[in-house]
Amino acid sequence: MTDASRGRRPLLVAGLLAGLLVASAALVPLIADARPAREIPIENVDQSLADPGADGWSEVPAATVPLASAPSGVPNADDTTVRAVEVEAAQSDETLFVRLRWADSSTDRETNSPRAFPDMAAIQFPVNATTQPAIAMGSQRNLVNVWQWAGTGTTQELLAGGPGSTTAFEQPQVSVEATRATIGEDDGWSVVFTRELNASVDNRTQLAADADLNVAFGIWNGENSERAGQKAVSEWYYFPFGPDEGGAPFQMILWAVAGIAIALVIAVTAISVRRAGQEGESE
Amino acid sequence: MAHENIDIADGVDHQVAMVMDLNKCIGCQTCTVACETLWTEREGTEYMYWNNVETRPGKGYPRDWESKGGGWESEEHNERSVGEIPSQQDYGENWEFDHEGILKEGEDKALKPENTDPEWGPNWDEDQGAGEHPNNYYFYFPRICNHCTHPSCVEACPRKALYKREEDGVVLVDQERCRGYRYCVEGCPYKKVYYNAVTKRSEKCVFCYPRIEGEGPDGETHPPACADQCTTQLRLVGYLDDQDGPIYKLVEQYEVALPLHPEYQTTPNVYYIPPVAPPQHSDDGETVDVERIPRSYLEELFGEQVNDALDTIERERAKVERGGHSELMEILQDKNPAQQYRLEVFADD
Ligand code: SF4
Ligand code: SF4
């Protein structure tokens, strides 16, 4: 090495260190926000969020879930209008609160005439938390629970094993509060579904089963005569009820990246310290 | 089984059927009231008439039902034609009258709907008909569910809440399975399924099945109330596959009893004897040899077969006028209830 190059080395090391610092600073918000694409985070809360207008909701992160027309044999199945629903979830010691917010400028609360259909929203879970049933209302082997709210003010808790097979629980455990709200720039609905984490009977999804829980969403626009299979639906998403470690691979990749970065910093620091020491000795 | 050469639905033992002779209907609505009294005096049914009698030509009940789609695209019955749900205005709203005030308290006002100012309702165009004086014409048209052999209402339901009864082909809505989606309402081309906004389920004519089963207090078999109560006893009730009965003869043998709108491809089991009106008159009152009800109009309702049917009726009538005997004319004039209502022929099956 020439004298000239030797004189530049501390400069190079300092530059590398600075670069790493900047890069990790830029990564921090990303890491904090990062979650697997299909995960809907659950915020722990200590008060009830059953009211869609409750202050506590402002602390709960939202996932935007895209919707598309469900494949169905009913007439006009392709003609649905709602494109996305914002989903937020919060859990207290004993209760799960799920808030759905979506844009729908017409308020349809009635079924009081032959052509009147209400706006509706539904949340679907596998009955057996460790399964992922067929997305379209499950199947005979893998049943689903559906919480369905209608603009008429009624809420039903349903059991289904495939399209056309829904039956209602006689004593529903799900309660719903709904209100009109501003969603982005549009009018729409803000609806909170509330249920105890513990399932009291067979065929009711156990919410706190210590395993990630699949969940899917459906929205009907009553003004467009949407009902039954004519609905806008999501793919399967999941609530991360499972243990944190060994969760999603994406999280592990993030930790791996962070680990490598730390190792690199240590290595670079160690090398420069040694070089600095050698230089000192040689002088 | 008795129906080797009769087309009834797969998996159905026998098929109930009704023949209505349009030449005998006086539009008295006794059938409508009989049905209403028996079946639709519940909350949410106020606007529905499982049996209605409309004036033809006319818009019918619900208004313009013939332009609201439903039924099948072809006789293969593999593709349904999507229909629309009539509006509440098309059916007519539930009018409330102040009978109490006017009749009991002597209030001085007209008896008219208190809750709405209607612009349409059932029989709004009653007796209007068509044509110019002295050759105007109309006839009354009683309609119930046709308990079709290929019921598009059944096919339309994603929950299989509607079904065709195995024993007699009566088409029913299972109130437990129905979730009020109304695909049956739009899928029936005759608009004979109705949505009850109180129960939030669809309902329809049940062919008075408890009566034909003898489930009433007297344990006897009775024809549907609309037939039983008909002032002029113009309805024959029985089974299409009862080859000794008058219905089989009128439909299959003489081919004078025709389904309404066969092009809807649901294969109705209510059949009509087409109306024959007096011939047209000239301005000075002379009878001229022109049919009063245009064949083209009857073809719209019954298809081209109406021509043969009317020709057969005319021929058989002429035979009797010449002093001859006609089995067909006898059937059409029969006053024997044992023949008119043959509901126990398969009781021992
Ligand atoms: S008339 Fe309509 S409701 Fe009755 S069976 Fe036929 S399609 Fe169904
Ligand atoms: S009761 Fe008989 S005559 Fe009177 S309207 Fe009904 S079908 Fe016609």
Side-chain angles (χ1 to χ4, degrees):
Chain A
M1 251 181 240
T2 64
D3 278 347
S5 71
R6 206 179 277 166
R8 267 188 228 134
R9 195 169 294 121
L11 254 180
L12 182 77
V13 170
L16 248 168
L17 270 173
L20 266 169
L21 258 174
V22 170
S24 42
L27 270 169
V28 164
L30 264 180
I31 290 167
D33 235 19
R35 58 167 189 264
R38 295 278 169 88
E39 178 183 308
I40 294 169
I42 303 182
E43 186 81 5
N44 286 310
V45 293
D46 43 24
Q47 83 275 41
S48 167
L49 292 189
D51 175 358
D55 288 342
W57 282 113
S58 58
E59 308 294 318
V60 180
T64 301
V65 173
L67 304 175
S69 298
S72 166
V74 302
N76 308 314
D78 292 346
D79 176 21
T80 61
T81 52
V82 182
R83 296 278 161 266
V85 58
E86 275 188 24
V87 184
E88 294 151 287
Q91 139 180 33
S92 66
D93 283 348
E94 287 173 350
T95 313
L96 176 71
F97 307 95
V98 184
R99 183 166 80 159
L100 305 187
R101 288 155 51 85
W102 70 98
D104 174 0
S105 56
S106 60
T107 311
D108 298 285
R109 296 180 186 271
E110 302 291 351
T111 51
N112 58 356
S113 76
R115 282 183 178 169
F117 293 94
D119 297 326
M120 293 191 288
I123 306 181
Q124 173 177 287
F125 298 102
V127 166
N128 178 348
T130 56
T131 62
Q132 191 179 77
I135 186 80
M137 319 283 307
S139 67
Q140 278 180 353
R141 277 163 152 253
N142 274 321
L143 302 177
V144 293
N145 268 191
V146 177
W147 305 349
Q148 188 181 51
W149 164 86
T152 47
T154 49
T155 303
Q156 285 189 305
E157 196 182 0
L158 305 164
L159 182 67
S165 70
T166 28
T167 47
F169 281 85
E170 269 168 31
Q171 287 165 329
Q173 296 289 303
V174 179
S175 57
V176 173
E177 285 186 40
T179 179
R180 293 295 286 171
T182 307
I183 314 296
E185 313 214 315
D186 304 300
D187 284 344
W189 286 104
S190 179
V191 176
V192 176
F193 293 78
T194 303
R195 210 207 82 184
E196 274 188 22
L197 292 169
N198 268 317
S200 43
V201 294
D202 284 353
N203 284 333
R204 177 169 282 146
T205 305
Q206 178 68 22
L207 295 173
D210 268 344
D212 289 348
L213 178 64
N214 286 303
V215 59
F217 308 92
I219 304 284
W220 292 259
N221 178 4
E223 194 199 26
N224 194 36
S225 301
E226 291 174 26
R227 77 274 200 195
Q230 187 186 357
K231 60 186 169 186
V233 294
S234 75
E235 301 288 336
W236 280 116
Y237 280 67
Y238 71 91
F239 285 138
F241 279 116
D244 283 345
E245 303 77 28
F250 189 55
Q251 252 167 0
M252 287 170 64
I253 293 165
L254 279 178
W255 281 116
V257 168
I260 291 166
I262 291 164
L264 243 156
V265 170
I266 293 169
V268 168
T269 313
I271 290 166
S272 16
V273 167
R274 240 183 66 198
R275 287 275 153 85
Q278 281 169 356
E279 273 160 30
E281 276 162 26
S282 66
E283 265 163 29
Chain B
M1 209 142 275
H3 48 75
E4 292 108 25
N5 44 8
I6 299 171
D7 182 21
I8 72 172
D10 289 345
V12 166
D13 295 340
H14 304 287
Q15 176 61 59
V16 289
M18 189 183 278
V19 170
M20 304 194 204
D21 187 345
L22 293 178
N23 295 288
K24 298 178 186 167
C25 183
I26 58 170
C28 65
Q29 307 283 357
T30 306
C31 48
T32 309
V33 173
C35 178
E36 169 89 4
T37 310
L38 200 50
W39 295 110
T40 57
E41 282 192 335
R42 291 165 291 121
E43 257 197 295
T45 65
E46 296 86 352
Y47 82 93
M48 24 176 129
Y49 296 99
W50 294 358
N51 178 108
N52 80 289
V53 184
E54 56 200 46
T55 298
R56 303 311 298 255
K59 292 184 190 302
Y61 163 86
R63 176 173 51 190
D64 292 325
W65 61 267
E66 286 152 304
S67 64
K68 296 203 188 297
W72 299 92
E73 292 287 356
S74 75
E75 59 187 352
E76 270 78 58
H77 306 112
N78 45 21
E79 197 187 336
R80 288 192 306 109
S81 130
V82 176
E84 61 179 284
I85 303 172
S87 69
Q88 188 65 68
Q89 289 71 29
D90 289 333
Y91 291 104
E93 275 141 306
N94 178 27
W95 304 339
E96 282 159 23
F97 298 91
D98 187 10
H99 291 113
E100 192 77 7
I102 294 169
L103 299 174
K104 294 214 178 121
E105 282 144 40
E107 275 187 50
D108 185 18
K109 62 178 178 186
L111 184 64
K112 60 177 190 136
E114 299 278 322
N115 57 332
T116 162
D117 192 6
E119 287 171 13
W120 186 259
N123 291 316
W124 197 265
D125 57 0
E126 186 168 44
D127 294 1
Q128 235 165 269
E132 293 285 310
H133 178 80
N135 292 314
N136 49 326
Y137 63 94
Y138 64 80
F139 52 94
Y140 297 112
F141 209 110
R143 297 203 305 119
I144 65 171
C145 162
N146 297 298
H147 298 277
C148 303
T149 296
H150 301 285
S152 53
C153 59
V154 170
E155 193 65 24
C157 178
R159 287 186 55 77
K160 304 205 184 336
L162 290 95
Y163 62 101
K164 197 163 169 60
R165 263 198 349 178
E166 193 185 322
E167 58 265 48
D168 56 10
V170 169
V171 173
L172 297 172
V173 184
D174 181 342
Q175 296 292 299
E176 301 276 303
R177 292 202 58 75
C178 178
R179 281 178 64 82
Y181 294 150
R182 291 161 257 180
Y183 289 113
C184 53
V185 177
E186 61 182 39
C188 169
Y190 301 93
K191 296 297 169 265
K192 279 294 171 188
V193 195
Y194 305 87
Y195 175 66
N196 182 324
V198 174
T199 63
K200 313 229 174 292
R201 286 170 175 81
S202 297
E203 42 181 83
K204 62 181 287 300
C205 162
V206 295
F207 211 78
C208 287
Y209 72 82
R211 291 171 59 94
I212 64 175
E213 287 171 1
E215 289 296 320
D218 63 2
E220 303 275 320
T221 297
H222 292 277
C226 57
D228 205 9
Q229 298 288 305
C230 175
T231 328
T232 64
Q233 289 296 294
L234 64 79
R235 302 183 187 209
L236 308 179
V237 186
Y239 295 91
L240 185 63
D241 48 318
D242 166 15
Q243 302 202 10
D244 301 323
I247 292 180
Y248 174 82
K249 289 185 177 165
L250 293 172
V251 174
E252 303 285 344
Q253 196 176 320
Y254 291 100
E255 297 180 330
V256 294
L258 306 170
L260 174 60
H261 287 304
E263 74 278 14
Y264 296 165
Q265 306 289 354
T266 62
T267 319
N269 287 300
V270 172
Y271 301 86
Y272 295 93
I273 307 294
V276 183
Q280 291 198 358
H281 287 169
S282 67
D283 281 345
D284 37 339
E286 295 296 318
T287 297
V288 291
D289 191 18
V290 179
E291 281 178 315
R292 181 168 293 255
I293 305 174
R295 286 279 172 109
S296 58
Y297 182 66
L298 294 176
E299 283 174 8
E300 268 175 44
L301 298 178
F302 302 111
E304 296 207 343
Q305 303 93 301
V306 76
N307 295 301
D308 285 346
L310 288 168
D311 292 350
T312 303
I313 292 170
E314 201 185 312
R315 198 175 55 241
E316 293 293 311
R317 195 147 89 169
K319 211 196 270 179
V320 175
E321 275 168 3
R322 289 194 307 270
H325 170 258
S326 160
E327 185 192 34
L328 173 60
M329 284 300 121
E330 264 180 11
I331 295 172
L332 289 177
Q333 294 174 60
D334 210 323
K335 298 198 181 61
N336 175 1
Q339 284 301 309
Q340 189 179 358
Y341 304 129
R342 285 171 59 94
L343 288 158
E344 282 167 302
V345 284
F346 298 123
D348 300 332
D349 270 22

